């Protein structure tokens, strides 16, 4: 019996070890509906794709980045938001990854912030050349004066100084406001009276978890609370994506990569 038990454990170890190298290719399209009476009628049903943590480099090739771009465009989003960490601190990788991301298509535009692994100046320059609007510590009105929403983002809280005030200029409590932050730990600092939806990444969903129940290593001071999925603080909602790429090793275990699709739904 002991030999059989050891054999079973070895077989399961080999299986799960092999699976951890397969899961990075099993990209989920995670659909989430956000309901609010502050969403203008013209934005009812609009679809926003959120991509984050691509980490183009040794563990994620340019062909795979191109594939993500194609998958995103096939979803026909109205807007695309990017959450940072396009590379892993390699300045030479910035140009190639934004060459691919320049092919993202959305009628209401593509907007992004930087993560803690993105070389700042070269990344902002490459982003702008790719036709992507940089919204670090800045915001943009989307739509017309009679029907518009506010989209903004903040700089990474560990490698820069985040400032949400420029985003909230001219914003009233009746406006629908989306804020992108690379790290979910910024969520408690967000103005709860004026920001309605926060999008974040950085955690990779733990990347390697105990069958999705617990992540031994999570890059958040709030640990499991800021791991993945939808979380609320008062009336505010934050969506944390598992992201696309990987760090440390080219593996994931019960923390599959995600393309997040947010559908806006107006309620009365």
């Amino acid at each position: 019996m002991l030999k059989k038990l050891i054999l079973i454990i070895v077989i399961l170890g080999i299986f799960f070890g092999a699976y951890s190298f397969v899961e990075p290719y099993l990209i989920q399209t995670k659909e989430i509906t956000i309901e609010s009476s502050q969403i203008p009628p013209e934005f009812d049903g609009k679809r926003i794709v959120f991509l984050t943590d691509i980490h183009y480099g040794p563990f994620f090739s340019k062909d795979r980045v191109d594939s993500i771009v194609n998958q995103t465009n096939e979803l026909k989003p109205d807007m695309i938001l990017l959450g940072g960490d396009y590379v892993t601190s390699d300045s030479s990788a910035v140009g190639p990854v934004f060459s691919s991301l320049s092919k993202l298509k959305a009628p209401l535009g593509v907007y992004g912030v930087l993560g803690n692994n993105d070389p700042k100046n070269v990344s902002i320059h490459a982003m702008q050349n790719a036709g992507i609007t940089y919204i670090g510590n800045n915001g943009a009105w989307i739509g017309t004066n009679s029907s518009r929403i506010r989209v903004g983002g903040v700089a990474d809280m560990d490698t820069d100084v985040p400032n949400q005030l420029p985003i909230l200029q001219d914003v009233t409590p009746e406006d629908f406001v989306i804020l992108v932050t690379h790290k979910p730990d910024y969520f408690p600092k967000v103005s709860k009276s004026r920001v309605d939806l926060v999008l974040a990444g950085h955690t990779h969903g733990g990347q390697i978890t105990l069958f999705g129940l617990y992540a031994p290593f999570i890059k958040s001071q709030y640990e499991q609370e800021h791991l993945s999925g939808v979380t609320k603080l008062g009336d505010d909602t934050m969506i944390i994506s598992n992201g696309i790429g990987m760090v440390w090793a080219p593996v994931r275990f019960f923390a599959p990569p995600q393309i997040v699709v947010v559908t806006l739904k107006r309620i009365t």
Side-chain angles (χ1 to χ4, degrees), residues 183-246:
K183 291 187 174 75
D185 286 8
Y186 188 73
F187 189 39
K189 305 177 188 298
V190 170
S191 172
K192 302 301 180 291
S193 63
R194 290 186 284 178
V195 175
D196 302 284
L197 175 64
V198 175
L199 301 175
H202 183 62
T203 66
H204 297 203
Q207 189 167 320
I208 299 174
T209 74
L210 299 178
F211 301 97
L213 301 176
Y214 177 81
F217 309 102
I218 177 171
K219 298 180 287 184
S220 168
Q221 64 175 323
Y222 299 95
E223 298 183 348
Q224 310 303 312
E225 184 181 345
H226 282 181
L227 179 62
S228 180
V230 179
T231 184
K232 289 184 175 291
L233 187 60
D235 294 331
D236 278 12
T237 300
M238 175 170 64
I239 299 172
I240 306 171
S241 171
N242 288 356
I244 299 294
M246 297 144 291

